[in-house]
Amino acid sequence: MTDPRQLADFEGSWSLYRRITPQRGPGAIFEGTAVWSRFKDGLDYLEQGVMQLEGQPAMQAERRYLWSDDLSVFFEDGRFFHAVPAQGGETDHWCDPDMYKGSYDFTQWPQFEVKWRVIGPRKDYLSQTLYTRS
């Protein structure tokens, strides 16, 4: 079992590599950086990089979340997204009509992996992200 993660463990810059594998259709790769930086009572998460969809030109992409001290993750507009399990493990998010089933693996810390299996009427894919300290 790994030591439980705390918010401060994530602070700083990370390299990230994400593979998105749909059940049908072309997949995608995202490569870039993720930076967790202090704000108020938590961390601001900013991910920036290049998204490459199979058969399409590469494009710049970014996403932002807010992380609180208890490892709750919120969308930029303040809506709750999910709770990060401090020891690693499963989490989920219902975004009507889609179900996001996630897992965090901290066993290779300070490298870690996040997987999301997304299933819904128009969504059916696996997203796997590997974070490595920069």
Side-chain angles (χ1 to χ4, degrees), residues 49-77:
V50 176
M51 174 75 79
Q52 178 69 59
L53 299 160
E54 287 178 24
Q56 301 292 319
M59 66 182 111
Q60 293 292 317
E62 74 174 47
R63 132 184 337 167
R64 176 172 254 131
Y65 295 110
L66 304 173
W67 285 44
S68 66
D69 196 46
D70 67 356
L71 299 182
S72 291
V73 180
F74 298 85
F75 293 105
E76 195 173 6
D77 66 6

Side-chain angles (χ1 to χ4, degrees), residues 10-18 29-37 44-51 59-65 67 112 129-134:
F10 298 94
E11 192 169 359
S13 185
W14 300 73
S15 296
L16 75 90
Y17 176 85
R18 177 174 300 127
I29 300 290
F30 177 87
E31 290 185 82
T33 59
V35 178
W36 279 264
S37 54
D44 176 64
Y45 170 92
L46 176 61
E47 157 181 316
Q48 296 177 306
V50 176
M51 174 75 79
M59 66 182 111
Q60 293 292 317
E62 74 174 47
R63 132 184 337 167
R64 176 172 254 131
Y65 295 110
W67 285 44
F112 69 100
T129 305
L130 182 65
Y131 292 88
T132 306
R133 265 287 178 208
S134 296

Side-chain angles (χ1 to χ4, degrees), residues 112-128:
F112 69 100
E113 186 175 36
V114 179
K115 294 180 183 177
W116 286 100
R117 178 78 176 101
V118 183
I119 299 173
R122 293 184 301 273
K123 295 181 182 177
D124 192 353
Y125 66 87
L126 175 65
S127 171
Q128 298 170 274

Side-chain angles (χ1 to χ4, degrees), residues 1-6 9-10 14 67 71 84-89 103-114 131:
M1 184 180 286
T2 61
D3 291 334
R5 302 279 52 99
Q6 298 176 14
D9 295 337
F10 298 94
W14 300 73
W67 285 44
L71 299 182
V84 175
Q87 304 238 209
S103 69
Y104 282 76
D105 181 353
F106 298 127
T107 58
Q108 302 298 314
W109 190 265
Q111 184 178 70
F112 69 100
E113 186 175 36
V114 179
Y131 292 88

